[in-house]
Amino acid sequence: MRRNTTQRMAIEEVFRQNDRPLGVDEVLAYGRKLVESLNQATVYRNLKLLVDDGRLKRVTHPSLGTMYERTGKGHHHHFYCRACNHAYELPGCALNEDEIAPDGFVVEDHDVFLFGICPSCVR
Ligand SMILES: [Zn+2]
Ligand SMILES: [Zn+2]
Protein backbone atom coordinates (compact mmCIF):
# COMPACT_ATOMS: atom_id res chain seq x y z
CA MET A 1 0.00 0.00 0.00
CA ARG A 2 2.63 2.46 1.10
CA ARG A 3 4.83 1.45 -1.80
CA ASN A 4 2.04 1.89 -4.34
CA THR A 5 1.26 5.35 -3.04
CA THR A 6 4.89 6.37 -3.42
CA GLN A 7 5.00 5.04 -6.97
CA ARG A 8 1.84 6.85 -7.93
CA MET A 9 3.10 10.11 -6.43
CA ALA A 10 6.34 9.69 -8.35
CA ILE A 11 4.44 9.27 -11.61
CA GLU A 12 2.33 12.34 -10.91
CA GLU A 13 5.52 14.23 -10.16
CA VAL A 14 6.92 13.15 -13.54
CA PHE A 15 3.94 14.80 -15.23
CA ARG A 16 4.35 17.95 -13.15
CA GLN A 17 8.00 18.21 -14.14
CA ASN A 18 7.37 17.35 -17.81
CA ASP A 19 4.13 19.03 -18.68
CA ARG A 20 3.53 17.41 -22.06
CA PRO A 21 2.19 14.08 -23.34
CA LEU A 22 4.47 11.23 -22.27
CA GLY A 23 4.71 7.67 -23.51
CA VAL A 24 5.07 4.78 -21.09
CA ASP A 25 8.82 4.52 -21.77
CA GLU A 26 9.31 8.20 -20.96
CA VAL A 27 7.28 7.90 -17.75
CA LEU A 28 9.39 4.92 -16.77
CA ALA A 29 12.70 6.65 -17.54
CA TYR A 30 11.82 9.87 -15.69
CA GLY A 31 10.05 8.01 -12.88
CA ARG A 32 13.06 5.82 -12.14
CA LYS A 33 15.04 8.90 -11.24
CA LEU A 34 12.54 9.45 -8.43
CA VAL A 35 11.74 5.88 -7.40
CA GLU A 36 14.26 3.27 -8.45
CA SER A 37 11.91 0.33 -7.99
CA LEU A 38 9.58 1.45 -10.79
CA ASN A 39 9.20 -1.05 -13.60
CA GLN A 40 7.02 -1.19 -16.67
CA ALA A 41 4.27 -3.18 -14.96
CA THR A 42 3.98 -0.74 -12.06
CA VAL A 43 4.00 2.20 -14.45
CA TYR A 44 1.20 0.68 -16.53
CA ARG A 45 -0.85 -0.10 -13.43
CA ASN A 46 -0.46 3.36 -11.95
CA LEU A 47 -1.13 5.12 -15.24
CA LYS A 48 -4.38 3.21 -15.51
CA LEU A 49 -5.34 4.16 -11.95
CA LEU A 50 -4.57 7.82 -12.64
CA VAL A 51 -6.70 7.69 -15.80
CA ASP A 52 -9.53 6.05 -13.84
CA ASP A 53 -9.22 8.81 -11.23
CA GLY A 54 -9.48 11.44 -13.97
CA ARG A 55 -6.02 12.86 -13.24
CA LEU A 56 -4.49 11.75 -16.53
CA LYS A 57 -5.95 11.07 -19.93
CA ARG A 58 -4.81 9.03 -22.87
CA VAL A 59 -3.72 10.62 -26.12
CA THR A 60 -3.80 7.98 -28.81
CA HIS A 61 -2.13 8.35 -32.16
CA PRO A 62 -2.37 5.70 -34.91
CA SER A 63 1.39 5.31 -35.33
CA LEU A 64 2.89 6.90 -32.23
CA GLY A 65 0.75 4.82 -29.93
CA THR A 66 -0.66 5.81 -26.58
CA MET A 67 0.63 8.72 -24.55
CA TYR A 68 -0.65 10.24 -21.34
CA GLU A 69 -1.18 13.84 -20.33
CA ARG A 70 -2.64 15.73 -17.40
CA THR A 71 -6.33 16.52 -17.51
CA GLY A 72 -8.05 19.85 -16.97
CA LYS A 73 -6.54 21.83 -19.82
CA GLY A 74 -9.46 21.99 -22.20
CA HIS A 75 -9.38 21.16 -25.87
CA HIS A 76 -5.99 21.54 -27.53
CA HIS A 77 -3.85 20.06 -30.27
CA HIS A 78 -0.47 18.32 -30.27
CA PHE A 79 2.90 18.70 -31.91
CA TYR A 80 5.36 15.88 -32.38
CA CYS A 81 9.04 16.63 -32.88
CA ARG A 82 10.68 14.16 -35.24
CA ALA A 83 14.15 15.04 -33.94
CA CYS A 84 13.74 14.50 -30.18
CA ASN A 85 10.56 12.35 -30.33
CA HIS A 86 8.82 14.56 -27.81
CA ALA A 87 5.14 15.42 -28.00
CA TYR A 88 3.99 18.90 -27.01
CA GLU A 89 0.65 20.46 -26.28
CA LEU A 90 -0.45 23.34 -28.50
CA PRO A 91 -3.01 25.54 -26.75
CA GLY A 92 -6.24 26.44 -28.44
CA CYS A 93 -7.98 25.36 -31.62
CA ALA A 94 -8.40 27.13 -34.95
CA LEU A 95 -10.22 24.30 -36.68
CA ASN A 96 -13.76 24.74 -37.92
CA GLU A 97 -15.19 21.23 -37.98
CA ASP A 98 -18.31 22.29 -39.89
CA GLU A 99 -16.24 23.70 -42.77
CA ILE A 100 -13.98 20.67 -43.07
CA ALA A 101 -16.56 17.91 -43.01
CA PRO A 102 -18.60 17.42 -46.22
CA ASP A 103 -22.39 17.51 -46.01
CA GLY A 104 -23.83 14.51 -44.27
CA PHE A 105 -20.90 13.90 -41.94
CA VAL A 106 -21.61 14.49 -38.28
CA VAL A 107 -18.40 15.46 -36.51
CA GLU A 108 -18.27 14.57 -32.84
CA ASP A 109 -14.66 15.28 -31.97
CA HIS A 110 -11.23 15.74 -33.51
CA ASP A 111 -7.61 15.34 -32.60
CA VAL A 112 -4.85 17.19 -34.45
CA PHE A 113 -1.21 16.16 -34.44
CA LEU A 114 1.30 18.43 -36.14
CA PHE A 115 4.71 17.00 -37.02
CA GLY A 116 8.00 18.81 -37.37
CA ILE A 117 10.93 20.13 -35.38
CA CYS A 118 10.54 21.73 -31.95
CA PRO A 119 12.28 25.02 -30.99
CA SER A 120 15.05 23.36 -29.00
CA CYS A 121 15.91 21.03 -31.90
CA VAL A 122 15.82 23.79 -34.54
CA ARG A 123 18.72 25.60 -32.85
ZN1 LIG B 1 12.65 18.38 -30.57
ZN1 LIG C 1 -9.21 21.41 -32.08
Side-chain angles (χ1 to χ4, degrees), residues 1-16 27 34-35 38 42-43 45-51 53 55-56:
M1 180 63 196
R2 175 100 190 89
R3 205 172 130 237
N4 284 337
T5 310
T6 308
Q7 291 175 339
R8 199 167 321 156
M9 282 166 58
I11 289 172
E12 286 202 89
E13 182 60 25
V14 165
F15 281 92
R16 272 191 291 274
V27 176
L34 304 170
V35 175
L38 276 185
T42 53
V43 167
R45 191 169 63 239
N46 283 291
L47 285 173
K48 185 183 182 310
L49 287 169
L50 288 163
V51 170
D53 283 350
R55 303 180 69 83
L56 294 180

Side-chain angles (χ1 to χ4, degrees), residues 79-86 88 116-122:
F79 184 97
Y80 186 80
C81 174
R82 296 180 193 273
C84 64
N85 299 319
H86 286 175
Y88 297 91
I117 310 293
C118 78
S120 39
C121 291
V122 158

Side-chain angles (χ1 to χ4, degrees), residues 75 77 93 110:
H75 176 77
H77 296 171
C93 177
H110 70 258

